[in-house]
Amino acid sequence: MNRLKNFTLNALILGGVTILNRAIAVIFNAYVSNKIGAEGMGLYALTSSAYIFAVTLATSGINLAVTRLVSEELALENGKGAIGAMRRCLIYAAIFGSVSSLSLFFGARYIADELLGDGRTYLSLRFFALALPFIAISNVFAGYFNAVRRAYKSASSNVIEQFIKIAVTVALLGAMLPRGTEYACAALVGGTCISEGLSFAYLLIFYLIDKKKHIRPKNVSGSPALTRRMIGIAVPIALSSYLRSGLTTIEHVLIPRGMRKYGADLSTSLAAYGVVHGMALPIVLFPAAVSAVYATLIVPELSELAAQRDRIRGDVHISYIARRSVKFGLIFSLGTAAVMFAFAPYLGEVIYGNYETGKYIRILSLIIPVMYLDTIVDGMLKGLGEQLASMEYNIIDAAVSVVLVLIAVPELGIDGYVITIFVTEILNGALSLARLKKVVGFRVDLSECLIMPLICGAASSAAAYISGMFVSYDNGLILAGGIVIQSAMYLALLRLCGAVNSDDTKWLRSAVTVKSN
């Protein structure tokens, strides 16, 4: 099948599944927040900050290593090498997943009391530890499916995992919520652990079937130095990930402490943190599923081109990919930002019944273009073998975040955290885009990529804002209709002003109509 069509079909399927998954997550998040309140959401977010570091240790860069190695071996038609890469990566993941699990399980008391500063996180941390080996090995399978352009298989496991998580969590919340916030948080974690274990079993079965059906290891030579290549990709990413994740964990631990220095008590601090990090940010990042899917799928495409040492392959020329990616990334993110800005108060009210959440959704909508585009650029850098540069920028981002949280939150409260998000996202995005331009050397038309979409987004947002004077958007269906109308207006304006031209539509048509070879 033509490479572009294959990429497009995977993007459409994986994008649809990811958006569905995130929609379910947002709805469930609203349900949970109504059950356990902003303080409970803050406690869960605080617990998750330590858990995320443990997941970083458990995975230790293996997802990208699998994708790169399997893509490279299959590009050389070396099935035996691809299977050998998978075996090594599975052993690597099992070792790091087990070490991370044991460390979190037996260190939970110290982490809860001394590092997080809240003993109520102890039980949840122990539960989280049980999921880590499954997460590590599942990352290997996910990397494999990305490499073979069948990422929809791993995405389908995420949907199943989400439904299992919801069912288990609802049952556990019913039993544990009356015992207090600590046990409510543990119920959320318990649902995660059970769903991760079942997702692992699902992916294992799919991998065994896929390997038998699609990979032919006979009559090909083994690829040399697979272990060294795996370590060369995974370990540098792992080390930089440890540093970045550690700094991020420190940042999130410091936020409630900074709030208390600002003058808020523990409950108020966790509630404010929960509103921004546990409620507003998930809404702002919900449409980022589109850019995240693209960033995931672009890695094996660029990795394969690099392995074949062929940078000019018609419609997949690297410079062409970069130019198109930046343009459509900006068009999509500016449109999303316009919708979020216009409907932020209604989103907060309809989803959470909370005006404060809507206020922060509107503020954070202004940084959406930088956030979303950086995700796409990061994926391209990884596909081009620039993962160390990408991680370097992420470490700088995290270090600056810690410093700003230390300075701004005690002085400005939760608004100091919002300022920190803006500064570090802009810094990271600028560094990543500059690196991509240096590596690829592409050029974009600022008028059609930035200026015109910005004007079109502002016009559609103004129209939606004015319509709010005549239409009440406090109903979910009416709100959804308003979002659809504004999005359609934005796209129509883009076409009228030429920001989306005939060359763009021709490329999109070719992506979905081209015949297989």
Side-chain angles (χ1 to χ4, degrees):
M1 181 181 286
N2 178 279
R3 181 196 303 269
L4 181 57
K5 183 176 181 181
N6 195 20
F7 178 89
T8 305
L9 290 175
N10 271 282
L12 290 173
I13 295 170
L14 184 56
V17 170
T18 304
I19 290 171
L20 172 63
N21 206 29
R22 289 203 180 191
I24 295 169
V26 167
I27 294 169
F28 183 61
N29 198 45
Y31 166 81
V32 170
S33 69
N34 288 328
K35 285 285 186 180
I36 68 175
E39 181 185 357
M41 295 296 289
L43 185 65
Y44 181 69
L46 183 63
T47 308
S48 297
S49 65
Y51 170 63
I52 290 170
F53 180 78
V55 170
T56 303
L57 176 60
T59 54
S60 290
I62 197 58
N63 184 279
L64 180 60
V66 175
T67 301
R68 290 278 305 278
L69 288 176
V70 174
S71 296
E72 291 165 3
E73 294 304 310
L74 293 180
L76 301 174
E77 299 183 353
N78 191 352
K80 188 175 181 179
I83 292 175
M86 282 296 295
R87 287 173 181 164
R88 288 163 174 79
C89 290
L90 285 168
I91 293 171
Y92 178 100
I95 292 171
F96 279 91
S98 298
V99 170
S100 179
S101 177
L102 292 172
S103 299
L104 183 60
F105 188 85
F106 291 107
R109 176 55 68 189
Y110 176 80
I111 294 170
D113 293 339
E114 302 299 327
L115 300 183
L116 301 183
D118 195 321
R120 293 177 296 173
T121 61
Y122 168 73
L123 184 60
S124 295
L125 289 173
R126 283 209 142 183
F127 281 166
F128 265 140
L130 302 178
L132 293 172
F134 300 112
I135 292 173
I137 298 176
S138 293
N139 261 260
V140 177
F141 297 140
Y144 166 82
F145 287 121
N146 288 340
V148 298
R149 279 70 165 187
R150 288 183 287 278
Y152 59 88
K153 292 188 176 182
S154 59
S156 65
S157 76
N158 290 335
V159 175
I160 294 173
E161 176 187 331
Q162 189 77 276
F163 280 109
I164 293 171
K165 177 181 175 180
I166 290 171
V168 173
T169 302
V170 169
L172 290 176
L173 270 177
M176 301 176 73
L177 182 59
R179 302 181 66 181
T181 304
E182 176 183 359
Y183 289 92
C185 186
L188 298 180
V189 176
T192 299
C193 293
I194 294 172
S195 61
E196 289 287 356
L198 293 175
S199 176
F200 157 77
Y202 178 89
L203 285 171
L204 173 61
I205 293 170
F206 261 96
Y207 165 69
L208 293 175
I209 295 172
D210 192 274
K211 182 183 72 169
K212 184 176 181 180
K213 181 177 180 181
H214 294 287
I215 297 184
R216 300 289 182 265
K218 296 180 180 179
N219 302 321
V220 290
S221 61
S223 183
L226 274 173
T227 301
R228 187 174 73 242
R229 287 162 58 199
M230 177 189 71
I231 292 173
I233 297 171
V235 171
I237 293 176
L239 293 175
S240 55
S241 294
Y242 300 158
L243 181 55
R244 191 220 175 171
S245 185
L247 288 169
T248 302
T249 300
I250 292 171
E251 172 196 347
H252 289 290
V253 169
L254 289 173
I255 292 168
R257 295 185 181 186
M259 286 290 294
R260 292 200 290 275
K261 290 181 181 179
Y262 178 67
D265 58 27
L266 177 60
S267 178
T268 304
S269 300
L270 286 174
Y273 178 50
V275 166
V276 175
H277 193 77
M279 297 164 75
L281 270 176
I283 300 298
V284 169
L285 295 176
F286 167 67
V290 175
S291 53
V293 166
Y294 187 91
T296 298
L297 294 177
I298 204 68
V299 173
E301 297 295 327
L302 297 180
S303 294
E304 185 173 317
L305 287 176
Q308 294 171 333
R309 300 183 182 281
D310 182 0
R311 290 193 171 229
I312 303 177
R313 292 178 60 86
D315 59 352
V316 290
H317 186 285
I318 290 176
S319 179
Y320 180 82
I321 291 174
R323 188 171 67 253
R324 289 289 184 190
S325 299
V326 170
K327 177 176 180 177
F328 284 103
L330 282 170
I331 286 175
F332 171 70
S333 60
L334 286 166
T336 303
V339 169
M340 289 282 182
F341 187 86
F343 291 103
Y346 310 108
L347 288 167
E349 287 286 349
V350 170
I351 296 174
Y352 296 110
N354 186 319
Y355 174 80
E356 191 76 2
T357 304
K359 183 184 81 171
Y360 286 109
I361 291 173
R362 174 164 282 174
I363 293 170
L364 291 169
S365 70
L366 301 176
I367 199 66
I368 281 177
V370 178
M371 284 180 168
Y372 289 16
L373 182 61
D374 185 49
T375 300
I376 294 174
V377 171
D378 188 63
M380 287 190 284
L381 288 174
K382 289 176 180 176
L384 293 169
E386 294 290 326
Q387 62 270 11
L388 293 183
S390 179
M391 289 307 305
E392 178 185 339
Y393 304 148
N394 289 334
I395 290 170
I396 293 172
D397 173 336
V400 172
S401 293
V402 170
V403 173
L404 289 178
V405 165
L406 277 170
I407 296 171
V409 175
E411 295 295 325
L412 301 172
I414 200 64
D415 291 339
Y417 175 47
V418 173
I419 292 171
T420 298
I421 293 173
F422 272 76
V423 173
T424 54
E425 288 291 343
I426 292 170
L427 174 64
N428 197 328
L431 291 172
S432 298
L433 188 59
R435 182 65 181 179
L436 182 66
K437 286 179 66 67
K438 181 178 180 181
V439 172
V440 178
F442 68 97
R443 292 180 179 275
V444 295
D445 186 331
L446 286 179
S447 176
E448 68 176 31
C449 292
L450 179 62
I451 297 173
M452 294 311 299
L454 186 61
I455 293 173
C456 294
S460 66
S461 186
Y465 181 81
I466 292 171
S467 72
M469 300 177 183
F470 307 97
V471 180
S472 175
Y473 289 110
D474 55 1
N475 175 277
L477 289 176
I478 297 175
L479 176 59
I483 290 173
V484 170
I485 291 171
Q486 183 187 341
S487 300
M489 182 185 299
Y490 173 69
L491 292 174
L493 290 172
L494 287 174
R495 192 70 178 92
L496 286 172
C497 72
V500 175
N501 52 43
S502 58
D503 185 44
D504 298 325
T505 55
K506 180 180 178 181
W507 177 76
L508 288 172
R509 282 198 303 270
S510 70
V512 297
T513 62
V514 67
K515 302 295 184 183
S516 61
N517 293 331

